[in-house]
Amino acid sequence: EDKVVQSPLSLVVHEGDTVTLNCSYEVTNFRSLLWYKQEKKAPTFLFMLTSSGIEKKSGRLSSILDKKELFSILNITATQTGDSAIYLCAVEGNAGNMLTFGGGTRLMVKP
Amino acid sequence: DTAVSQTPKYLVTQMGNDKSIKCEQNLGHDTMYWYKQDSKKFLKIMFSYNNKELIINETVPNRFSPKSPDKAHLNLHINSLELGDSAVYFCASSLRGEFEQYFGPGTRLTVT
Protein backbone atom coordinates (compact mmCIF):
# COMPACT_ATOMS: atom_id res chain seq x y z
CA GLU A 1 0.00 0.00 0.00
CA ASP A 2 1.30 3.41 -0.95
CA LYS A 3 2.18 5.62 1.99
CA VAL A 4 2.96 9.31 2.40
CA VAL A 5 4.13 10.85 5.66
CA GLN A 6 4.51 14.55 6.21
CA SER A 7 6.33 16.34 8.98
CA PRO A 8 5.99 18.31 11.07
CA LEU A 9 2.28 17.96 11.69
CA SER A 10 2.07 21.64 12.54
CA LEU A 11 4.36 24.61 12.62
CA VAL A 12 4.08 28.11 14.00
CA VAL A 13 6.51 30.77 12.77
CA HIS A 14 6.72 34.53 12.54
CA GLU A 15 6.61 36.58 9.40
CA GLY A 16 9.96 36.65 7.67
CA ASP A 17 11.01 33.21 8.87
CA THR A 18 12.00 30.45 6.48
CA VAL A 19 10.27 27.09 6.81
CA THR A 20 10.96 23.64 5.44
CA LEU A 21 8.20 21.09 5.15
CA ASN A 22 9.01 17.43 4.69
CA CYS A 23 7.34 14.64 2.80
CA SER A 24 8.51 11.04 2.72
CA TYR A 25 6.85 8.33 0.75
CA GLU A 26 6.68 4.67 -0.08
CA VAL A 27 5.02 3.97 -3.37
CA THR A 28 4.94 1.27 -5.97
CA ASN A 29 6.20 2.50 -9.32
CA PHE A 30 6.57 6.15 -8.42
CA ARG A 31 5.36 8.53 -11.08
CA SER A 32 5.22 11.96 -9.47
CA LEU A 33 5.01 13.91 -6.24
CA LEU A 34 2.75 16.90 -5.87
CA TRP A 35 2.44 19.66 -3.32
CA TYR A 36 -0.84 21.37 -2.60
CA LYS A 37 -1.78 24.32 -0.45
CA GLN A 38 -5.09 24.07 1.29
CA GLU A 39 -6.70 27.20 2.66
CA LYS A 40 -10.09 26.82 4.25
CA LYS A 41 -11.26 24.21 1.79
CA ALA A 42 -10.04 23.01 -1.59
CA PRO A 43 -6.32 22.35 -2.11
CA THR A 44 -4.63 24.36 -4.81
CA PHE A 45 -1.80 22.97 -6.81
CA LEU A 46 1.74 24.18 -6.08
CA PHE A 47 4.31 21.89 -7.66
CA MET A 48 4.70 18.61 -9.40
CA LEU A 49 8.03 16.83 -9.15
CA THR A 50 9.10 13.87 -11.18
CA SER A 51 12.90 14.05 -11.32
CA SER A 52 15.43 14.01 -8.52
CA GLY A 53 17.53 17.03 -7.76
CA ILE A 54 15.72 19.51 -9.94
CA GLU A 55 14.37 22.38 -7.90
CA LYS A 56 11.01 23.81 -8.77
CA LYS A 57 10.52 27.41 -7.77
CA SER A 58 7.60 29.79 -7.65
CA GLY A 59 8.22 33.09 -5.95
CA ARG A 60 9.13 32.41 -2.34
CA LEU A 61 8.25 28.74 -2.60
CA SER A 62 10.56 26.04 -3.83
CA SER A 63 10.58 22.28 -3.76
CA ILE A 64 12.93 19.45 -4.55
CA LEU A 65 12.65 15.71 -4.81
CA ASP A 66 15.06 12.98 -3.78
CA LYS A 67 13.96 9.73 -5.39
CA LYS A 68 16.81 7.78 -3.86
CA GLU A 69 15.92 8.70 -0.29
CA LEU A 70 12.20 8.89 -1.12
CA PHE A 71 11.41 12.33 0.15
CA SER A 72 10.65 15.85 -0.90
CA ILE A 73 10.89 19.19 0.85
CA LEU A 74 8.92 22.34 0.38
CA ASN A 75 10.69 25.55 1.35
CA ILE A 76 9.03 28.86 1.98
CA THR A 77 11.27 31.86 2.49
CA ALA A 78 10.31 35.22 4.00
CA THR A 79 6.99 33.79 5.17
CA GLN A 80 3.88 35.96 5.22
CA THR A 81 0.62 35.57 7.08
CA GLY A 82 -0.98 34.61 3.78
CA ASP A 83 1.17 31.50 3.74
CA SER A 84 -0.84 30.13 6.67
CA ALA A 85 -2.49 27.00 5.36
CA ILE A 86 -2.30 23.23 5.32
CA TYR A 87 0.32 21.98 2.90
CA LEU A 88 -0.44 18.61 1.39
CA CYS A 89 1.98 16.27 -0.27
CA ALA A 90 0.66 13.60 -2.62
CA VAL A 91 2.27 10.90 -4.71
CA GLU A 92 1.11 9.11 -7.75
CA GLY A 93 2.13 5.50 -7.95
CA ASN A 94 0.89 2.36 -9.51
CA ALA A 95 -2.76 3.13 -9.78
CA GLY A 96 -2.38 5.74 -12.48
CA ASN A 97 -3.95 9.14 -11.91
CA MET A 98 -4.78 8.26 -8.32
CA LEU A 99 -3.03 10.22 -5.65
CA THR A 100 -2.10 9.11 -2.15
CA PHE A 101 -2.06 12.10 0.14
CA GLY A 102 -0.10 12.67 3.30
CA GLY A 103 -1.77 14.02 6.39
CA GLY A 104 -0.63 17.55 5.74
CA THR A 105 1.43 20.11 7.63
CA ARG A 106 -0.49 22.94 9.20
CA LEU A 107 1.54 26.12 8.94
CA MET A 108 0.63 29.21 10.89
CA VAL A 109 2.53 32.41 10.23
CA LYS A 110 2.13 35.04 12.91
CA PRO A 111 2.56 38.75 12.24
CA ASP B 1 -14.97 31.14 -14.48
CA THR B 2 -15.27 28.30 -12.02
CA ALA B 3 -13.25 25.29 -13.13
CA VAL B 4 -14.63 22.63 -10.78
CA SER B 5 -17.83 23.42 -8.93
CA GLN B 6 -19.77 21.52 -6.32
CA THR B 7 -23.24 21.96 -4.94
CA PRO B 8 -24.27 22.35 -2.27
CA LYS B 9 -21.42 23.85 -0.29
CA TYR B 10 -23.04 22.84 2.97
CA LEU B 11 -25.43 20.01 3.63
CA VAL B 12 -26.97 19.24 6.98
CA THR B 13 -29.21 16.22 7.17
CA GLN B 14 -30.45 13.55 9.52
CA MET B 15 -29.36 9.97 9.81
CA GLY B 16 -31.10 7.64 7.43
CA ASN B 17 -31.75 10.23 4.75
CA ASP B 18 -30.60 9.94 1.15
CA LYS B 19 -28.70 12.87 -0.35
CA SER B 20 -26.73 13.81 -3.45
CA ILE B 21 -23.79 16.10 -4.03
CA LYS B 22 -23.24 17.43 -7.52
CA CYS B 23 -19.97 18.16 -9.27
CA GLU B 24 -19.33 19.84 -12.58
CA GLN B 25 -16.12 20.75 -14.36
CA ASN B 26 -15.68 22.99 -17.38
CA LEU B 27 -12.04 22.16 -18.03
CA GLY B 28 -12.69 19.59 -20.70
CA HIS B 29 -11.21 16.90 -18.47
CA ASP B 30 -12.17 13.31 -19.00
CA THR B 31 -11.54 11.96 -15.51
CA MET B 32 -13.33 12.98 -12.33
CA TYR B 33 -12.92 11.96 -8.72
CA TRP B 34 -14.53 12.09 -5.33
CA TYR B 35 -12.45 12.46 -2.19
CA LYS B 36 -13.49 12.39 1.43
CA GLN B 37 -11.54 14.57 3.83
CA ASP B 38 -11.64 13.35 7.38
CA SER B 39 -11.36 15.35 10.56
CA LYS B 40 -7.59 14.94 10.48
CA LYS B 41 -7.43 16.53 7.02
CA PHE B 42 -6.55 13.31 5.24
CA LEU B 43 -7.95 13.16 1.75
CA LYS B 44 -9.09 9.67 0.83
CA ILE B 45 -10.01 8.78 -2.71
CA MET B 46 -13.48 7.34 -3.05
CA PHE B 47 -14.19 7.06 -6.75
CA SER B 48 -12.76 7.87 -10.11
CA TYR B 49 -14.66 8.00 -13.39
CA ASN B 50 -13.19 8.11 -16.86
CA ASN B 51 -15.44 8.33 -19.90
CA LYS B 52 -18.41 7.12 -17.88
CA GLU B 53 -16.58 4.11 -16.61
CA LEU B 54 -15.62 3.53 -13.04
CA ILE B 55 -11.91 2.91 -13.18
CA ILE B 56 -11.05 2.76 -9.51
CA ASN B 57 -13.44 2.19 -6.66
CA GLU B 58 -11.90 2.35 -3.22
CA THR B 59 -13.46 0.24 -0.50
CA VAL B 60 -16.30 2.56 0.37
CA PRO B 61 -19.69 1.40 1.57
CA ASN B 62 -22.14 0.60 -1.20
CA ARG B 63 -24.40 3.26 0.26
CA PHE B 64 -22.22 5.61 -1.77
CA SER B 65 -22.79 5.57 -5.49
CA PRO B 66 -21.21 7.86 -8.08
CA LYS B 67 -23.31 8.83 -11.05
CA SER B 68 -21.85 10.42 -14.16
CA PRO B 69 -24.38 11.56 -16.74
CA ASP B 70 -21.59 12.91 -18.95
CA LYS B 71 -17.89 13.72 -18.88
CA ALA B 72 -18.43 17.09 -17.24
CA HIS B 73 -20.42 15.80 -14.28
CA LEU B 74 -19.86 13.33 -11.48
CA ASN B 75 -22.49 13.27 -8.78
CA LEU B 76 -22.21 11.46 -5.48
CA HIS B 77 -25.34 9.85 -4.11
CA ILE B 78 -25.43 8.62 -0.54
CA ASN B 79 -28.17 6.37 0.85
CA SER B 80 -29.07 5.86 4.49
CA LEU B 81 -26.69 8.48 5.81
CA GLU B 82 -24.78 7.69 9.00
CA LEU B 83 -23.08 9.92 11.54
CA GLY B 84 -19.68 8.77 10.32
CA ASP B 85 -20.40 10.13 6.87
CA SER B 86 -19.95 13.66 8.22
CA ALA B 87 -16.95 15.11 6.43
CA VAL B 88 -15.91 17.45 3.66
CA TYR B 89 -16.22 15.85 0.23
CA PHE B 90 -14.09 17.11 -2.64
CA CYS B 91 -14.62 16.60 -6.29
CA ALA B 92 -11.64 16.80 -8.62
CA SER B 93 -10.91 16.39 -12.29
CA SER B 94 -7.98 15.75 -14.56
CA LEU B 95 -7.05 14.61 -18.00
CA ARG B 96 -6.37 10.92 -18.11
CA GLY B 97 -2.63 10.45 -18.24
CA GLU B 98 -1.92 13.79 -16.58
CA PHE B 99 -1.10 13.97 -12.92
CA GLU B 100 -2.43 17.33 -11.98
CA GLN B 101 -5.89 17.26 -10.50
CA TYR B 102 -8.05 20.32 -10.06
CA PHE B 103 -10.20 20.35 -6.98
CA GLY B 104 -13.61 21.79 -6.33
CA PRO B 105 -14.33 23.91 -3.25
CA GLY B 106 -15.68 21.01 -1.24
CA THR B 107 -19.04 20.15 0.30
CA ARG B 108 -19.31 19.97 4.05
CA LEU B 109 -21.75 17.23 4.97
CA THR B 110 -23.05 17.10 8.51
CA VAL B 111 -25.20 14.18 9.56
CA THR B 112 -27.13 14.67 12.78
Side-chain angles (χ1 to χ4, degrees):
Chain A
E1 184 181 343
D2 296 347
K3 185 178 176 183
V4 179
V5 178
Q6 292 185 244
S7 63
L9 288 178
S10 63
L11 193 55
V12 181
V13 300
H14 288 93
E15 276 192 317
D17 289 349
T18 293
V19 298
T20 298
L21 310 182
N22 303 294
C23 175
S24 63
Y25 62 90
E26 296 173 18
V27 63
T28 305
N29 296 330
F30 174 88
R31 298 182 69 182
S32 68
L33 184 145
L34 296 90
W35 284 97
Y36 289 85
K37 177 182 181 183
Q38 183 174 9
E39 298 173 277
K40 297 181 181 179
K41 280 204 171 178
T44 54
F45 175 79
L46 293 176
F47 296 112
M48 183 179 77
L49 304 159
T50 56
S51 301
S52 275
I54 298 175
E55 185 183 53
K56 292 261 180 125
K57 196 171 173 65
S58 176
R60 296 176 294 102
L61 277 66
S62 64
S63 184
I64 197 162
L65 174 67
D66 186 328
K67 290 169 73 173
K68 183 179 178 183
E69 299 298 330
L70 306 181
F71 77 92
S72 173
I73 60 172
L74 175 67
N75 278 321
I76 308 174
T77 59
T79 52
Q80 302 171 359
T81 55
D83 295 327
S84 297
I86 294 171
Y87 290 84
L88 294 168
C89 172
V91 294
E92 187 192 19
N94 209 24
N97 273 53
M98 306 312 295
L99 299 177
T100 300
F101 282 86
T105 292
R106 182 181 292 275
L107 173 65
M108 180 180 293
V109 181
K110 293 187 173 181
Chain B
D1 287 344
T2 302
V4 182
S5 60
Q6 294 178 227
T7 53
K9 288 187 178 180
Y10 301 95
L11 181 57
V12 181
T13 188
Q14 291 184 327
M15 284 176 59
N17 285 347
D18 301 338
K19 291 293 179 183
S20 292
I21 306 172
K22 295 184 178 181
C23 178
E24 177 181 3
Q25 54 91 9
N26 61 7
L27 297 166
H29 289 166
D30 57 8
T31 306
M32 297 182 71
Y33 315 82
W34 276 105
Y35 290 85
K36 178 180 179 180
Q37 185 182 52
D38 62 22
S39 58
K40 297 181 179 178
K41 303 300 182 184
F42 278 88
L43 281 169
K44 296 187 182 296
I45 185 72
M46 299 178 71
F47 300 104
S48 170
Y49 256 92
N50 174 262
N51 290 331
K52 298 189 180 183
E53 290 185 86
L54 180 66
I55 57 175
I56 296 177
N57 182 352
E58 293 291 307
T59 54
V60 298
N62 57 14
R63 298 181 295 104
F64 291 80
S65 55
K67 299 187 189 303
S68 181
D70 54 57
K71 282 200 313 184
H73 297 83
L74 182 65
N75 303 325
L76 182 64
H77 189 74
I78 315 168
N79 290 326
S80 303
L81 278 154
E82 300 178 357
L83 292 176
D85 298 332
S86 295
V88 180
Y89 292 83
F90 286 99
C91 175
S93 71
S94 73
L95 282 173
R96 187 170 177 82
E98 293 191 7
F99 310 143
E100 185 177 357
Q101 296 183 14
Y102 292 81
F103 283 81
T107 295
R108 180 174 292 280
L109 171 65
T110 303
V111 182
T112 61

